[in-house]
Amino acid sequence: LCKSKTTEVAKFACMVICNISTHAANQPKIVKLDGLRPLLDLLRSDNEQCQKTAAMTLTNLGTSGINQVHIVKQGGLLPLIELTKSENPDCNRYAGMALCNLAVNRQNRRAMVDAGSLRPLVKMLSAGEGGKAKLEIIRAAALALYNISANASNHIPMVKNKICEPLFALCASPDVDIKRYAAMILSNLAANVETRAAATRSGGLQ
């Protein structure tokens, strides 16, 4: 039903899968039954509800290490990265959360950089004011970038994508989680002799 050409049918079918996927025991079954493909297709739907629900479902499925690999192998990176550029804050947030979970797996981190995830994730760090939705967008992006920064080979591309300036700004955030994630990323960058200067200049130490 997720493959239906009728938007309402696909939307509600995806909502069912999303709810089922909250139970860890169901997650490998969904993947085994070829559930990833229609979800990835729905990320490109013209309907924002379908996009959001598909991203939520992939976020749930991405809590499993083996599913993190399957999602990337089946082409999940590009549509998720594209969804981070959506003007819909919920689509932004859940796409960021799905990418965050994928980046937990070290096998995926370089692939995410090569696929172009850094620029939109860095942009999400500057989502600005706007209540809880905006905070969730920043948290998702910051934690995704922290996971990506766990690979030292990603540090230079991160600096080239101008990550430091928004991180410095986030260190003054009133949100404790955002502040912590920003400091954690800067800590990783500062541990690398090739990116240490970038992590401390332009007011970073202050």
Side-chain angles (χ1 to χ4, degrees):
L1 291 178
C2 285
K3 301 175 184 178
S4 174
K5 293 183 180 180
T6 303
T7 300
E8 287 297 297
V9 173
K11 179 177 74 174
F12 285 107
C14 189
M15 290 171 68
V16 172
I17 300 299
C18 183
N19 290 336
I20 291 172
S21 70
T22 60
H23 196 298
N26 293 329
Q27 293 170 2
K29 298 175 185 177
I30 293 169
V31 174
K32 188 175 181 179
L33 291 169
D34 197 27
L36 289 180
R37 177 52 50 198
L39 292 172
L40 298 179
D41 289 341
L42 285 173
L43 291 176
R44 296 188 172 97
S45 170
D46 293 331
N47 183 278
E48 290 182 338
Q49 184 68 35
C50 287
Q51 292 179 322
K52 181 189 81 169
T53 309
M56 289 173 65
T57 309
L58 289 166
T59 298
N60 293 339
L61 295 176
T63 58
S64 158
I66 188 63
N67 287 346
Q68 291 158 3
V69 175
H70 285 315
I71 292 169
V72 171
K73 284 186 176 180
Q74 292 196 35
L77 285 180
L78 290 181
L80 283 170
I81 290 169
E82 191 62 30
L83 196 58
T84 64
K85 305 171 188 177
S86 171
E87 295 182 4
N88 183 300
D90 286 332
C91 290
N92 279 161
R93 173 164 53 121
Y94 288 112
M97 290 171 68
L99 290 171
C100 176
N101 285 348
L102 297 182
V104 169
N105 196 308
R106 65 178 63 191
Q107 291 180 242
N108 294 336
R109 291 170 189 157
R110 188 64 202 189
M112 293 176 69
V113 171
D114 293 341
S117 66
L118 291 180
R119 187 180 296 269
L121 286 172
V122 170
K123 186 176 180 181
M124 287 167 68
L125 294 179
S126 302
E129 301 299 324
K132 184 177 178 180
K134 294 291 187 180
L135 287 177
E136 293 290 349
I137 289 170
I138 297 171
R139 286 181 190 138
L143 191 52
L145 288 163
Y146 167 69
N147 290 338
I148 291 171
S149 76
N151 278 29
S153 62
N154 293 332
H155 293 174
I156 290 176
M158 293 176 81
V159 169
K160 286 182 177 179
N161 277 274
K162 301 179 180 178
I163 193 174
C164 292
E165 287 74 12
L167 290 178
F168 296 154
L170 293 178
C171 284
S173 171
D175 185 86
V176 174
D177 287 332
I178 289 173
K179 189 180 296 187
R180 181 171 76 249
Y181 300 153
M184 287 160 59
I185 299 168
L186 287 168
S187 175
N188 282 347
L189 296 178
N192 187 329
V193 67
E194 295 183 276
T195 52
R196 186 171 299 154
T200 55
R201 66 172 177 246
S202 302
L205 286 176
Q206 288 82 351

